[in-house]
Amino acid sequence: MYRSEDDYFGRESKLSLVEKSGVSSGKILLRSLSPSNFLWKKKKWGVWWKRRFHLATVKRWLLIILFMTILYISYTTYKTQSHPVLYGLSRGHERPQVTYRCPTLSADSHPRKLTDHSIPTAKVRLDPKVLLFAETTFSKLGRDIAELLVYIRMKYKVEVSGKSLPILTNGDKGRFGVIVFENYTKYLQMDKWNKELLDKYCREYNVGIVGFMPSRDETYVGAHLKNTSLFIDTNVKLKDAYLNPSSGVLRLTRAGDIVRGLLPNEPTDLWTVFTPNHTTYEPVSLATAWHQATDEQPSSTANSPLITVIQDKGEGDGIRRVLFGAGLKFWLHRIVFIDALSYLSRGRLSVSLKRSILIDIDDIFVGERGTRLKKSDVEAILAAQERIRAMVPGFKFNLGFSGKYFHSGNEEENSGDDLILDNSDKFMWFGHMWNHIQPHLYSNTTQLALDMGKNKDFAKEHGIPTDSGYSVSPHHSGVYPVHEGLYDAWKKIWNVKVTSTEEFPHLRPARLRRGFIHRGIMVLPRQTCGLFTHTIFIDRYPGGQSKLDESISGGELFQTIVYNSINVFMTHMSNYGNDRLGLYTFESVIKYVQCWTNLQLVTYPPVTLAERYFKMHPDEVDPIWGNPCDDPRHRKIWAGNRTCDALPEFLVIGPQKTGTTALYTFLTMHPTIGSNKPSPDTFEEVQFFNGKNYFKGLDWLFEIWLENVVF
């Protein structure tokens, strides 16, 4: 039976009246507690709540959700900024510690004996150039070899194996100092005429040969290598590589430790190993066979040393060789290859053993709460700096500061700011931007100079040195592509003589980064180390700690130091707080470099460093301007008043008396074609690419166009 809502409330009212008056009414009470009546009440209460729910509009619910979201974000942000350890170290991981110890280095170690491959009495009749025989123009190992030669700045020429030999001499002078075969079997299988010609050249000019054994589908055991006293086993899995400390090939490379684990190779992790049968051969690098764990007892020869790189001293045919049982995927092979070039060219193709290292810490005083340095972090930096200085003479961290953000943290972080200033004499310093704004965003040079002046005033007030002659702009903005206003302000306020950037000519590939000089300011190439602003906690590092350790232990960071004579590294203040990844990374990699190489590390002030760089590389003094529109990164840090549409779309090139003036005149008659302004000296000719105008930069090129040009 259907009952209205009024009836429902009416019955409830009657029941209340009965109870209040004290009248006994068992029927009424019984009826109100009966199961059917209970279901009826439950159903009616559902109708009531349903109507109440519809009274809350969608707008009200949206406001509630929005309020709760803002409250959650605010709470999370506060917790993250105020208690970063709660969200970092307390999650179960520990701050990484420098634990690497080189087994062959100790306080009582004897001085290192450096090998000199040069022969003073030998006549210099060779160009310091490598002749590389690649299997094809697209072969992987051939590209790896060529890229490594570019990295260490060695000249080379590539030829495809199987074709006729290039011209090997120029008069009585040899054109190549070392011959490299990507596939050594191509050398062994050369036709008689070409092989005899190449061997004669090698003997006459004391030129050696580097050979790489290719991966094979077939597995050979004890196979004889044609025309040699060598036997090879192929498709062998190896582990635990180490070097022969008495090898005459090693110069840069040092037999310092054992590389534990499975050894990599391409396309599979299978190697070729050598067994010599003549005294002319000597092992350079060795390893042991890798066996999959089984229930069977390994044989007594399971851990016998296997030769992976072997030296031929030339006792048999007068030609010295170094043969590799795998390619360059294994990092140790890469530095042994550099030594092989030096050994086989008798020192003519050698790299310097001196390495300069400068570690910049950008963004001092800049950062949100939770990413800034505390007092304990600063103390750790000072302690690590002393330990590194024991390995790298003259070492000091180079701090770049933005004074506007001084004392912008919590109480603990502000005490860290104070401790940095209390120890300002223990660091090198350079001025960052006062407000950390990218310089290319300034269209007014006067305002840019005023902001720089604020940073300099802050430095004077707090005892920070202002005479380093060095500066770096945020995100390398304005350095390249050049923003002339930045160079003007730098010279006016800071008397800057040196800066650095990772953007010239491009960020990638890193091996092609170079320096240049513009308007008297020396621009050094800057290197990255795998640490960025957001890499604060080790468990959040991309790939985890194993990825960072891989870069340190023979990987990208290690090789960057090995390949570059002068290294300027970019890091950020946030890398030295919380998990202190900056300290862990550099102290570890320096120890690894010292263990595995004979490199001599040193730190110089930036101006001295730049002077040494351009003395070593005088060919880099003059800049080579690129088109900023061809690189997305360059477009982002190009001056705001410069657009790609304003660049010339075509050039008219021609010698004198060939009608270029007439063509220029006819083109300017077209209503949608604009030309450059006539010059009082060269008339319609721009002459941008001559020395005088070219070194004025792209900004000068923009100024010569007519204001009414339609593109």
Side-chain angles (χ1 to χ4, degrees):
M1 175 178 173
Y2 174 79
R3 292 178 175 83
S4 66
E5 189 175 358
D6 292 338
D7 186 31
Y8 168 73
F9 284 106
R11 289 181 181 274
E12 287 292 305
S13 300
K14 291 177 182 179
L15 179 60
S16 300
L17 289 173
V18 170
E19 291 173 344
K20 288 178 182 179
S21 60
V23 178
S24 174
S25 179
K27 291 184 179 180
I28 296 176
L29 183 60
L30 182 63
R31 184 176 180 182
S32 64
L33 296 177
S34 66
S36 59
N37 197 42
F38 175 76
L39 294 174
W40 167 70
K41 283 188 176 182
K42 182 177 181 182
K43 188 181 295 183
K44 287 306 173 182
W45 273 107
V47 173
W48 183 81
W49 278 110
K50 187 175 181 180
R51 291 193 178 187
R52 291 293 182 186
F53 174 78
H54 284 297
L55 291 177
T57 63
V58 174
K59 183 177 180 180
R60 290 178 181 175
W61 280 106
L62 288 175
L63 290 175
I64 293 171
I65 294 171
L66 180 62
F67 174 76
M68 295 299 294
T69 302
I70 294 174
L71 185 64
Y72 174 77
I73 292 175
S74 300
Y75 176 78
T76 304
T77 302
Y78 168 77
K79 281 293 189 182
T80 303
Q81 292 180 354
S82 302
H83 307 283
V85 176
L86 195 64
Y87 288 81
L89 298 176
S90 64
R91 294 198 306 272
H93 80 269
E94 295 181 356
R95 180 180 290 135
Q97 302 295 326
V98 180
T99 58
Y100 181 73
R101 297 292 181 270
C102 183
T104 57
L105 284 180
S106 61
D108 55 352
S109 296
H110 297 290
R112 304 185 185 207
K113 295 181 179 179
L114 304 181
T115 302
D116 185 5
H117 290 148
S118 62
I119 301 177
T121 58
K123 295 181 180 179
V124 180
R125 301 164 54 206
L126 287 173
D127 284 332
K129 193 173 184 179
V130 175
L131 176 59
L132 169 60
F133 285 99
E135 285 208 79
T136 69
T137 54
F138 306 104
S139 54
K140 177 65 169 63
L141 179 55
R143 291 200 310 270
D144 290 344
I145 296 170
E147 289 174 0
L148 180 53
L149 293 173
V150 170
Y151 221 142
I152 59 178
R153 300 170 184 259
M154 284 190 182
K155 298 178 181 179
Y156 68 95
K157 178 179 175 62
V158 179
E159 293 285 340
V160 176
S161 299
K163 297 184 178 180
S164 299
L165 292 176
I167 298 174
L168 299 175
T169 60
N170 183 12
D172 64 344
K173 187 176 184 181
R175 297 183 60 203
F176 307 102
V178 174
I179 313 297
V180 178
F181 280 89
E182 176 191 358
N183 184 345
Y184 187 64
T185 58
K186 296 290 185 180
Y187 165 73
L188 299 176
Q189 296 169 359
M190 289 177 72
D191 63 84
K192 183 179 179 181
W193 171 263
N194 282 324
K195 190 171 186 304
E196 288 181 353
L197 188 63
L198 185 61
D199 288 352
K200 180 182 177 182
Y201 172 80
C202 291
R203 280 189 289 267
E204 184 175 347
Y205 289 91
N206 288 321
V207 171
I209 296 175
V210 177
F212 293 87
M213 299 304 297
S215 299
R216 298 174 181 269
D217 295 330
E218 308 88 355
T219 298
Y220 298 103
V221 177
H224 180 242
L225 205 58
K226 182 180 178 182
N227 297 328
T228 70
S229 298
L230 279 176
F231 298 87
I232 61 172
D233 295 354
T234 63
N235 296 340
V236 181
K237 276 195 173 184
L238 300 174
K239 65 176 182 178
D240 301 347
Y242 57 98
L243 298 172
N244 175 14
S246 62
S247 171
V249 174
L250 303 183
R251 175 178 172 270
L252 179 151
T253 314
R254 181 178 179 275
D257 201 352
I258 299 176
V259 182
R260 302 288 182 181
L262 183 67
L263 304 186
N265 190 24
E266 289 179 327
T268 58
D269 295 330
L270 299 176
W271 290 54
T272 297
V273 296
F274 305 95
T275 303
N277 190 24
H278 196 284
T279 57
T280 189
Y281 297 105
E282 184 179 26
V284 178
S285 178
L286 305 97
T288 55
W290 181 86
H291 297 281
Q292 193 168 3
T294 62
D295 296 333
E296 299 179 4
Q297 188 72 18
S299 65
S300 59
T301 60
N303 294 321
S304 299
L306 302 175
I307 301 174
T308 59
V309 181
I310 196 165
Q311 164 195 1
D312 179 358
K313 293 179 282 189
E315 295 176 2
D317 60 0
I319 301 174
R320 302 201 296 182
R321 301 174 178 86
V322 176
L323 305 182
F324 289 77
L328 295 179
K329 185 177 181 181
F330 182 36
W331 66 266
L332 191 57
H333 271 195
R334 300 175 74 88
I335 57 176
V336 171
F337 174 72
I338 297 173
D339 280 344
L341 296 177
S342 175
Y343 167 74
L344 297 173
S345 67
R346 302 183 187 271
R348 296 185 182 94
L349 286 165
S350 297
V351 298
S352 170
L353 296 183
K354 296 181 179 180
R355 295 292 181 273
S356 300
I357 182 170
L358 180 68
I359 300 176
D360 292 346
I361 305 181
D362 296 357
D363 305 343
I364 294 295
F365 307 132
V366 181
E368 299 293 333
R369 293 185 178 184
T371 66
R372 301 168 66 89
L373 299 180
K374 303 173 184 176
K375 187 175 180 180
S376 59
D377 297 324
V378 179
E379 291 170 345
I381 292 174
L382 290 167
Q385 183 171 264
E386 290 300 316
R387 293 193 299 270
I388 295 175
R389 188 181 294 119
M391 300 181 284
V392 183
F395 179 80
K396 289 183 179 181
F397 285 109
N398 195 25
L399 309 187
F401 65 96
S402 295
K404 179 179 179 179
Y405 302 100
F406 177 69
H407 274 191
S408 296
N410 56 36
E411 183 177 353
E412 193 175 9
E413 293 168 337
N414 290 344
S415 67
D417 289 355
D418 294 332
L419 188 58
I420 291 177
L421 294 182
D422 291 342
N423 292 274
S424 61
D425 59 323
K426 293 182 174 63
F427 302 106
M428 292 187 287
W429 292 83
F430 64 92
H432 224 27
M433 289 296 295
W434 163 254
N435 47 17
H436 207 256
I437 294 178
Q438 296 174 321
H440 79 279
L441 299 176
Y442 286 84
S443 58
N444 189 325
T445 304
T446 303
Q447 185 60 49
L448 178 58
L450 286 174
D451 283 351
M452 282 189 185
K454 293 178 182 178
N455 217 26
K456 188 172 184 179
D457 292 341
F458 172 85
K460 292 179 178 178
E461 180 181 350
H462 293 86
I464 297 175
T466 61
D467 58 352
S468 69
Y470 178 72
S471 186
V472 175
S473 67
H475 306 285
H476 308 281
S477 157
V479 180
Y480 184 83
V482 167
H483 179 45
E484 297 294 345
L486 173 63
Y487 284 73
D488 288 336
W490 264 347
K491 295 175 78 171
K492 179 180 179 181
I493 304 300
W494 289 103
N495 190 27
V496 168
K497 299 177 182 177
V498 184
T499 185
S500 61
T501 183
E502 58 185 17
E503 297 291 344
F504 181 77
H506 300 282
L507 175 66
R508 302 290 184 204
R511 65 180 180 275
L512 297 180
R513 292 178 194 163
R514 296 293 185 263
F516 67 95
I517 298 178
H518 182 57
R519 297 180 59 186
I521 294 181
M522 296 175 282
V523 182
L524 293 174
R526 211 179 196 203
Q527 307 298 335
T528 53
C529 63
L531 300 178
F532 303 95
T533 310
H534 60 277
T535 46
I536 301 174
F537 299 112
I538 189 63
D539 66 336
R540 295 182 185 177
Y541 188 86
Q545 183 171 348
S546 61
K547 190 68 175 178
L548 179 59
D549 289 342
E550 178 185 331
S551 177
I552 292 168
S553 305
E556 183 177 358
L557 179 57
F558 172 88
Q559 293 178 43
T560 297
I561 297 175
V562 170
Y563 300 154
N564 293 288
S565 296
I566 291 179
N567 296 272
V568 181
F569 285 107
M570 173 184 67
T571 63
H572 301 84
M573 180 187 70
S574 55
N575 304 138
Y576 296 84
N578 292 296
D579 278 2
R580 303 171 187 166
L581 298 186
L583 300 181
Y584 171 76
T585 297
F586 283 105
E587 190 171 354
S588 297
V589 76
I590 288 171
K591 286 188 172 185
Y592 211 76
V593 168
Q594 284 207 324
C595 185
W596 280 102
T597 76
N598 288 311
L599 295 176
Q600 304 164 15
L601 302 179
V602 67
T603 294
Y604 294 110
V607 175
T608 304
L609 199 64
E611 291 171 347
R612 294 174 65 89
Y613 180 89
F614 287 104
K615 186 177 181 180
M616 286 190 294
H617 307 296
D619 56 312
E620 296 183 19
V621 169
D622 296 337
I624 299 176
W625 305 127
N627 185 352
C629 302
D630 292 340
D631 189 326
R633 288 180 59 89
H634 289 176
R635 287 201 299 267
K636 292 179 180 179
I637 56 175
W638 200 17
N641 58 350
R642 304 303 186 197
T643 64
C644 296
D645 294 337
L647 287 172
E649 296 182 350
F650 64 89
L651 303 175
V652 177
I653 302 174
Q656 295 178 342
K657 305 301 180 182
T658 57
T660 52
T661 301
L663 178 59
Y664 167 83
T665 304
F666 297 149
L667 290 172
T668 56
M669 295 178 181
H670 197 283
T672 61
I673 295 179
S675 68
N676 54 283
K677 299 175 184 177
S679 167
D681 300 322
T682 59
F683 304 101
E684 76 280 357
E685 297 179 8
V686 178
Q687 294 193 0
F688 173 66
F689 295 99
N690 68 20
K692 179 182 177 181
N693 293 331
Y694 186 79
F695 297 132
K696 295 177 181 177
L698 291 180
D699 278 13
W700 178 87
L701 187 61
F702 276 96
E703 300 301 327
I704 66 172
W705 299 105
L706 297 172
E707 296 179 358
N708 60 349
V709 172
V710 179
F711 292 95

